[in-house]
Amino acid sequence: MAKNILVTGGAGYIGSHTVLQLLTGGYRTVVVDNLENSSAVALQRVKELAGQFGNNLSFHQVDLRDKAALKTIFTETKFDAVIHFAGLKAVGESVQKPLLYFNNNLIGTITLLEVMADHGCKNLVFSSSATVYGWPKEVPCTEEFPLSAANPYGRTKLFIEEICRDIHCSDSEWKIILLRYFNPVGAHPSGQIGEDPRGIPNNLMPFVQQVAVGRRPALTVFGNDYSTKDGTGVRDYIHVVDLADGHIAALCKLSDSKIGCEVYNLGTGKGTSVLEMVAAFEEASGKKIPLVMAGRRPGDAEIVYASTEKAEHELKWKAKYGIEEMCRDQWNWASKNPYGYGSPETTK
Ligand code: NAD
Ligand code: UFG
């Protein structure tokens, strides 16, 4: 019997790629998303890309905080596990609107956990983030590093991790995997799905992509005086398809009777600077990315990359793609969809 997986936030960037891998891996998938930061077009394309498996996808446009609607979905289907992506993720906005972030991310998650418990579904994979390592004292970051939060968004990740540890302590039937993503970039190789942020992108690669297609004049580089190879910040960029596969590995791990509440980094273990990433994208796209050097962005760490050992040993998962493939696939998506899922008229 095919397993039933509920994916919250499944219309979003990482969610849509994961839903596609789930469908092609033979899972039946139900997506719950309020489309606050995504488009239903992404799911239509996922359905098409999944071919014969496309019929195993269903979608509910529901906010996670709508408990009654969520209960109905759990009554209709008995889920084997939930992958929980839904949440707001813009760091700067979270500083301006902390209550929006606490309300959406925390109440959304608590409501989901209550409904799961009521329906006897106690298997969860949660999207945490490398942001919980703050400015790490050393690299690579291992899962045992001390945790901190530099902004309300990061605090929601930290709080939800703690909530998960507490509910597992209270009831050992819960099996929970907390996945700490490093920097997801790239797109599905088909070029049909990818990242489509609303408004001005906060993150490096969506910004670079919009410069390449002529939507923005230049990339502002936040700081070139770090103690790194070329002075710019270093991150662990991971191909979104590798990340999506990490979720399938986590689901397999949940079938392991011994697991309690475990945390895994999902990264490549390699650090790449802003200038190296820009150069790789220029190579992949044949486009020149004009740069404007600026001061450091408040709250940014200098060097962050993952220790990947735990995920490799215990999840039997390892990232396959390097920055060349990430940039190639990101450019393929960007050149085919310069305005993402929208059009010049609907997209600012
Ligand atoms: P995304 O914004 O593309 O996807 C999140 C989805 O959740 C969106 O489709 C949005 O509409 C939906 N959503 C938000 N609040 C909701 C609610 N209350 N009810 C129902 N749906 C809701 O973001 P993403 O990049 O795909 O990230 C997915 C998850 O991974 C998030 O939890 C994010 O914090 C986490 N994460 C992302 C990154 C990154 O760099 N992209 C890094 C680390 C962790
Ligand atoms: N950067 C620029 N110019 C830009 C955007 C970014 O120079 O316009 C630089 C940053 O200073 C940093 C690097 O590019 O050195 C990467 O920045 P991103 O904003 O793409 O990524 P961050 O590592 O700062 O943060 C992202 C998410 C967080 C998440 C973290 C780890 O925004 O939510 O990755 O997963 F927690």
Side-chain angles (χ1 to χ4, degrees):
M1 266 284 276
K3 288 194 170 163
N4 288 310
I5 310 297
L6 178 73
V7 182
T8 77
Y13 172 46
I14 307 169
S16 55
H17 288 81
T18 305
V19 169
L20 179 56
Q21 299 306 92
L22 284 168
L23 292 170
T24 53
Y27 292 89
R28 302 172 67 84
T29 309
V30 175
V31 169
V32 169
D33 198 304
N34 63 5
L35 302 183
E36 181 68 31
N37 196 39
S38 51
S39 164
V41 176
L43 289 176
Q44 286 164 20
R45 293 194 182 174
V46 165
K47 205 176 163 80
E48 285 158 22
L49 288 169
Q52 51 163 330
F53 298 109
N55 289 337
N56 288 337
L57 171 63
S58 58
F59 170 53
H60 301 271
Q61 186 173 350
V62 160
D63 190 296
L64 273 192
R65 293 163 294 181
D66 181 346
K67 194 168 190 175
L70 211 52
K71 278 182 172 173
T72 305
I73 293 166
F74 273 81
T75 307
E76 284 166 2
T77 305
K78 188 166 166 35
F79 293 108
D80 295 285
V82 174
I83 305 182
H84 176 32
F85 292 106
L88 297 174
K89 61 163 186 177
V91 171
E93 184 187 49
S94 82
V95 175
Q96 302 303 319
K97 300 175 183 169
L99 289 176
L100 174 70
Y101 273 66
F102 293 135
N103 188 314
N104 191 78
N105 294 4
L106 297 182
I107 297 185
T109 302
I110 291 167
T111 308
L112 172 69
L113 293 170
E114 285 172 347
V115 175
M116 286 175 69
D118 286 351
H119 290 80
C121 172
K122 297 182 182 176
N123 294 330
L124 176 73
V125 178
F126 172 64
S127 305
S128 188
S129 164
T131 194
V132 299
Y133 295 122
W135 182 312
K137 283 212 181 68
E138 53 181 330
V139 279
C141 301
T142 69
E143 287 81 352
E144 293 74 37
F145 271 24
L147 305 181
S148 67
N151 51 64
Y153 164 72
R155 242 177 301 286
T156 67
K157 294 297 177 197
L158 216 50
F159 289 161
I160 296 169
E161 284 204 5
E162 298 294 8
I163 290 169
C164 288
R165 286 186 262 275
D166 284 342
I167 61 169
H168 174 259
C169 277
S170 75
D171 175 356
S172 60
E173 280 182 14
W174 278 93
K175 294 184 188 181
I176 303 176
I177 292 187
L178 309 170
L179 296 176
R180 293 184 184 147
Y181 312 152
F182 282 69
N183 292 58
V185 298
H188 189 264
S190 64
Q192 292 302 303
I193 55 171
E195 186 166 15
D196 180 22
R198 301 213 163 146
I200 301 170
N202 300 297
N203 299 117
L204 178 66
M205 292 313 283
F207 204 104
V208 167
Q209 166 186 327
Q210 292 195 4
V211 174
V213 297
R215 286 170 62 181
R216 318 237 168 235
L219 170 73
T220 304
V221 176
F222 297 138
N224 59 356
D225 60 348
Y226 288 109
S227 304
T228 58
K229 38 198 156 184
D230 56 26
T232 64
V234 167
R235 295 290 185 277
D236 186 338
Y237 298 94
I238 172 167
H239 197 298
V240 66
V241 173
D242 273 333
L243 192 67
D245 285 340
H247 292 75
I248 312 294
L251 281 183
C252 295
K253 184 74 181 169
L254 282 180
S255 313
D256 181 340
S257 62
K258 291 186 294 297
I259 195 157
C261 180
E262 277 295 337
V263 51
Y264 296 98
N265 287 337
L266 294 185
T268 63
K270 294 187 186 74
T272 305
S273 73
V274 173
L275 296 183
E276 286 173 331
M277 209 56 191
V278 169
F281 192 85
E282 287 182 334
E283 178 71 27
S285 64
K287 300 277 176 186
K288 185 84 195 134
I289 307 295
L291 302 179
V292 174
M293 293 299 168
R296 296 179 178 195
R297 186 170 62 176
D300 266 0
E302 186 165 76
I303 306 183
V304 187
Y305 58 87
S307 161
T308 57
E309 271 177 40
K310 189 176 177 196
E312 278 175 36
H313 287 143
E314 297 184 18
L315 297 182
K316 315 279 179 247
W317 167 91
K318 188 174 168 26
K320 292 192 286 286
Y321 302 114
I323 60 169
E324 289 73 24
E325 288 102 339
M326 298 177 209
C327 292
R328 178 199 66 198
D329 293 339
Q330 182 134 4
W331 175 241
N332 186 33
W333 152 250
S335 53
K336 286 181 174 154
N337 305 269
Y339 288 85
Y341 297 111
S343 63
E345 293 72 40
T346 58
T347 314
K348 289 222 176 71

